[in-house]
Structure formats: C-alpha cells, structure tokens
Amino acid sequence: MLKGAMSWESLTSRDLISLPQSHKLSATHLLASPDGSKHPLENTTDHYQLDGSFSRLAGYQSPDGTSLWTRHGFSISRCAIFECFFVCQKRIQQYLAKRKIERGLRLYEQHNQNAAVKMWRSALKSTSKRNDRFQLLGYLYQGHMDFGKYREALEYGHRQLGISEELDSPSMRAEAYLNLARAHERLGGLERALSYARHSLYNECGTQCRSGGLVHLTVARVYLEMGGFSRALEGLQGSYKIATSIGDPALELQVYVALSELFGRLQDTDKSAKYASKAYDLSRSLQLGDLNSSHHRAALLRMAASLRKQGELGDAHDYCTEATRLALISGDQATFTRSIRIMGDIYRKKMDIDRAFRHYEQAMGTAAALGDRMAQMEAMDGAARCLEALRTQQKICNCRPLEFNTRLLEVASSVGAKLLVRKIRARLALIYRSLGDEEQFKTHERLATQAEAALGLHCGVCNESFGLEVDSLEALPCAHILHARCAHEVYRRRDKNSLGRSCPACKKLINSRLHLCGDEPDEVIDIAENNNILKISAPRTIYRSNLSLASLSLRASSLTINSECHATSSV
C-alpha cells in the first residue's frame, strides 16, 4: 500500500461527513410578492448542498484552499477518476428523475393520480435544474387543484413563484401568478386572486396563448363572485377570443360553463341552459380523455343546475347523479362537493326539505375540509333557503333562521359576494318583520337596496332592475347587460347625431347584435367592439391537446370519497 494512502476508516471520518454547507442565495430570492410577503423556496437547496459536498469530495477546493483528495495522499489521476464517478452519478440521478416524471405522466393518464403524485414528489427531490423543477411543480400544482386540495396547490404555486423570481423569467412568473390566482379564487381570497391575475397579465405581455385565456377566465370568475357581471362578461369575451384564435375547445368549454353560471345568477334560465348545453356537447366531443375528465364533470353539473332552474327536475337529477358517480370514481372532491350541493337544490325544489338539508350539511362539511370557501358559502345559502321555507310554513320558529342567516352574512361579506349579501339582507328583513322589530327591518331593507344599487343591476334603457326575478336578458358587445326587450329597441333605433346605434350606458357604437346562443346549431355569434366584428362559429368537435399536464384536466383515479366523514356542518 502506498505511503500516506487513505484508509476506509478515514474516508468515513467526521472530517468528510461534516463538510460545511453552502448558504449562497440569489439576490432575486428575496423579491416581494404582490401582497408584500416573501415566498422562499422550501427544500430546494438540499440537492445543491449535496452536489457541493460531492464536488469537494471529487477533488475540488476545500474551504482551506487545498484539494481534499490531495491532502489525504491521492494522486491527480485518482482525483480525476473520483470526479468522473460523481459526475456520472449526478447524470444518472437526473436521468432517473426524468424517468420518474414520465412514469408519473403515464400514471396520471391511467387514472392513478395518487401514484403519479408520489412519483413526482420523489422526482422533485433529485431534480436540480430550476426549469425542470418549475415544470414539475406545475404538474404537482395541477394534480392537487383537480383533486380539490387547494391549500397544497397554493404551496406549489408559491414555490414556482420563487423559482421564477430567481431566474427572472416573465413567462414563468406569469404562470406562477396565474396558479396563485386560481387557488386563491377557490379559497375565497377574491381580492388577492384579482391582484395575482393582474400580475400574470402584466408579465404575459399581451401574448395570445392559453395561459392568457385562463387569466381572463380567472378574472371573470372573480368578478362573477363579486357581483361585477359586466366586468365578468368582458373577461369571458377576452378568454373566448383567445380560445378561438388558438383553437382550444377545452378553454372554450370553460367559457361556456362560466357564461351559463353568469346568466343563471341573473335569473335568465333560458340562456343559462343553452350555454350549458353547448358546454355539454363540446365536452362529449373533446379528445382529452374519457368521460371522467374534469371538463365533462363540470358540464354535467352546469346542465343539472340549469335544468333545475327551468323545473326539469328529473333530467337535472340524472345529470347530477352522473356527475357525482364520476367524481367518486376519479376522487374529485371539489366536484363531489358541488354535486351534492346541487342535489340538495333539486330536493329543495321538490319540497323534500329534510333530504335537501342533509345534502347541504354534507356539502358544507366536505367544503370546509377542502378549504373551499366558495362551495361552503353556496351550501350555506342552500341550507338558509331550507330554513326559510320551514319558517314560512311555520314549522320552525324565527330564531334558527335568524342565527344562520346572520352567520352566512358574515361569511358572504368577508368573501365579497355582493349579490348573495343582497339576498341575505332581504331574508333578514323579512325575519325581523315577522318578529315585529321594525327598526331592524328598515335597516336591512335599506342595506339591501344599497347593495342592489352597488351591483348596478339596472337596465340602461328603462332604468328598472334585473337579475332579481326570472327574465330574459341581452348583452351588448360592450359587455353591458339590458333587458332583452330594451336591447331589441336599441338595435331598432339609430341616434340622430351618430352614424350607428350606441350603448345607452357607455355610448359606444354598436355595429352588430350579440346573439347569445341561439337555437340553430350553426349559429354565428357576432361580437363587435370599436368597429371590429369577431365572428364566433359553433364549437369544433375534434381536438387533441399537446400541452403539458399543467394545462390539462385531471384524469380519473381509483380514490373514492367516504361521504360519511363530513356528514355534519362545521359552521
């Protein structure tokens, strides 16, 4: 043996094991997010520290400036051998990480999401390149979002934001902000979601891509919850324009679902049902997966909700039952929560109040477990309607409806759901009136009127309110909403001092009528704004996406939901 050669005991000595770790951070690592908080990467420097120790073991400079191998008696040739060995080891680790990512994608497509997520988490530990880590975090984010685990998805979004700030990449930053906006929208942080969405649009730099369409769609959903229906319609028009320009029916389907919900909340049941029908027809023709795709489940729920408002309770029950079955098969807890809430609406419409209330309680429990404040608020509203029906039938006293609506008012006010706040104020006014408390009755009646005025639900032609009772509405190209009869009158007349028709609210010229989903299958929708007419044809039927998993819908997995776990309300 050569003199001074290292023994195996010295190789495993404490001097080599306790090598100092690197603590170098990028300057952009401490950049602030829109809400002023810092989102440092968690557990992202472990592999760099390990690689640094391997590098020093392979013959690089130690902290005292000398080569570790040379210091222990190894020659230069042996240093090169060890260096080659550890470089090869690092390459093998990267190769195995990529194989795990591909394996996770295959598992995801085979409806085994739990195994896919475990595979991706394992790959994340050995992935060193920031670009690969960003993409892998996007996979994990989308998997948790489709599964209804919004809190976990939010964590992955923050980690993506940290990587985008380190690399100073506008496109990565736009995607990270979009993911944060979508998660906060479901968690009830509407103002924060709107802020993140605006940051995403700023970093997108106006490019026509799918992420831009999703940003417009997210903004529209936030305004829809906040009661800004005209702003929501503007966002949906922008998202629809991008969807048709890039040929993405999956995004187009989501716009149809949002439009159906918008007109459903404004009590235009016919247009809500027609948009839901378009979404359902498009979901059956998409080649994005089988019937367990999240797009198909969303279309089924919209069909059930729209048909329920039209009084078609049997068909609504069938659609909702199918959505519930697919949600249980795929393990989609978010869709499951909404499906049992809509089933409660159907039973309430059938005047089966006891069964409806049990469904609402179950929906409230599962939504609270997921942290989905929007779904929880909707279920609470359904339960409040059940209590109101029992109160008017004099089957219960006024105390329980009063307490429950007061609690719901606090939740809706904290979220910022103005339309729901107006409805709760009106219900509270009736309860206080039956109790003989005229002061509280007048207070809530006045506040309900103020909330109605803040919503801007007044026709620009007749100045009468809309959206509070069943009516037929029409949307102008400038996204202002009128009564259908008033909109027809606007289209028939011409202003004397202008060359064409103009909107009574914003005075913009109107060159064509916005037909909101007519009965003909080959109907063409004209959207005109600033003398530019956008022709929107009927939905295309065949499309196979080649996008990354982060932009695709969730395939089904074998997880089932135990519906008995959250049978009682947490509120």
Side-chain angles (χ1 to χ4, degrees), residues 238-249:
S239 181
Y240 195 96
K241 184 177 180 180
I242 294 177
T244 54
S245 63
I246 66 176
D248 189 350

Side-chain angles (χ1 to χ4, degrees), residues 38 68 180 207 239 252 262 308 314 346 443:
K38 298 177 181 178
L68 294 175
L180 292 174
T207 56
S239 181
E252 187 177 349
L262 186 149
R308 195 271 306 174
I346 295 172
T443 300

Side-chain angles (χ1 to χ4, degrees), residues 443-508:
T443 300
H444 284 283
E445 188 178 46
R446 174 176 53 82
L447 293 175
T449 303
Q450 292 178 359
E452 181 180 335
L455 288 169
L457 300 179
H458 292 278
C459 179
V461 177
C462 63
N463 202 28
E464 295 181 0
S465 61
F466 62 84
L468 306 178
E469 297 179 356
V470 177
D471 204 345
S472 180
L473 304 176
E474 191 76 69
L476 300 181
C478 56
H480 285 104
I481 303 173
L482 308 175
H483 291 112
R485 57 184 181 274
C486 298
H488 297 161
E489 181 181 350
V490 171
Y491 282 114
R492 283 195 298 266
R493 74 186 184 192
R494 286 179 177 271
D495 295 340
K496 296 181 180 180
N497 299 328
S498 63
L499 299 177
R501 309 170 186 88
S502 62
C503 172
C506 62
K507 305 303 180 182
K508 287 185 178 180

Side-chain angles (χ1 to χ4, degrees), residues 124 154 181 344 414 439 480 548:
L124 189 63
L154 189 65
S414 63
E439 182 179 356
H480 285 104
S548 64

Side-chain angles (χ1 to χ4, degrees), residues 323-332 336 557-562:
T324 305
R325 184 184 70 84
L326 295 178
L328 287 171
I329 292 174
S330 64
D332 187 352
F336 175 78
S557 69
S558 59
L559 178 67
T560 58
I561 299 174
N562 184 4

